[in-house]
Amino acid sequence: MKPPFKLDAHPRRPRPLLSEPPADYFDKLPMHIMTRLPRAEAPGTAAGGRWLAWLSPALRTGLASVAVLGGFAASFYLSGPPAAGSASAATASLDAVPRTELVGYLLTSGARVETTDLAVLTAANPGLANGFLQATEDELTEALDAQPSEDLTYLL
C-alpha cells in the first residue's frame, strides 16, 4: 500500500524572480500587435459601396429601412389580389343545391346550428327566408310568441 501524499512533506523549488516589463509595455502592446497583422481592404471601400461610407450612420439606417419596407410593399403589390375563382366556385356549387334541401339539412339535429346562428344570419339579410318560408305574418307571430325566450334582443 502506498503512503498518503502530503504536500507539506515535499520541498518547494525556488521560483525565479520575474523581471519588470518595460515602461508603457501594456499600453503599446495592442498597437504593436495591430501593426503585425496583414492589412485587408475594408468591405465598405469596395467599388460599389464607397458612396455608403460618405453617408451618416442615421442616413444609412434610414436607407436600409426604406429598402426593406419597399421590398415588403412590392411583394404585396406584385402578389396581386386574392384568387376569386375559388370563392365563386364555392358559391356556384352552393347555389346549385335546392333551398328546401339546405333548410332540411340545417334543421337536422346533426348540423348543430343554433337559433342564434340563424338569427344573426337573418339580421344581416332580412329577406333571406322569403324564398323558402311560406307562412303568413300571423302564423309567424303566433309561433314566435309561443317560444320561451329570456333574451329580448331578437323579439324586438
Side-chain angles (χ1 to χ4, degrees):
M1 187 165 158
K2 290 179 144 183
F5 178 79
K6 292 184 180 177
L7 185 61
D8 294 333
H10 299 283
R12 287 184 162 185
R13 289 185 275 166
R15 290 189 306 168
L17 293 176
L18 296 174
S19 63
E20 290 289 322
D24 297 333
Y25 175 76
F26 291 106
D27 293 335
K28 296 177 183 176
L29 182 62
M31 290 307 295
H32 181 66
I33 291 173
M34 292 301 288
T35 57
R36 293 175 53 187
L37 291 176
R39 294 228 177 235
E41 187 176 340
T45 60
R50 288 181 198 215
W51 62 275
L52 281 174
W54 293 341
L55 300 176
S56 68
L59 192 57
R60 280 183 277 182
T61 303
L63 186 64
S65 300
V66 167
V68 169
L69 290 175
F72 196 64
S75 68
F76 274 120
Y77 178 73
L78 294 176
S79 66
S86 62
S88 63
T91 306
S93 65
L94 214 73
D95 286 341
V97 178
R99 287 192 181 244
T100 54
E101 194 173 325
L102 280 175
V103 170
Y105 171 74
L106 291 175
L107 293 177
T108 59
S109 61
R112 292 198 176 115
V113 175
E114 298 178 1
T115 55
T116 55
D117 297 332
L118 295 175
V120 168
L121 184 66
T122 55
N125 229 345
L128 181 69
N130 293 342
F132 59 87
L133 188 60
Q134 323 289 256
T136 64
E137 201 163 316
D138 293 334
E139 292 172 341
L140 289 175
T141 306
E142 184 180 324
L144 286 174
D145 288 341
Q147 295 286 325
S149 176
E150 296 174 5
D151 191 8
L152 298 177
T153 305
Y154 303 115
L155 294 178
L156 298 177

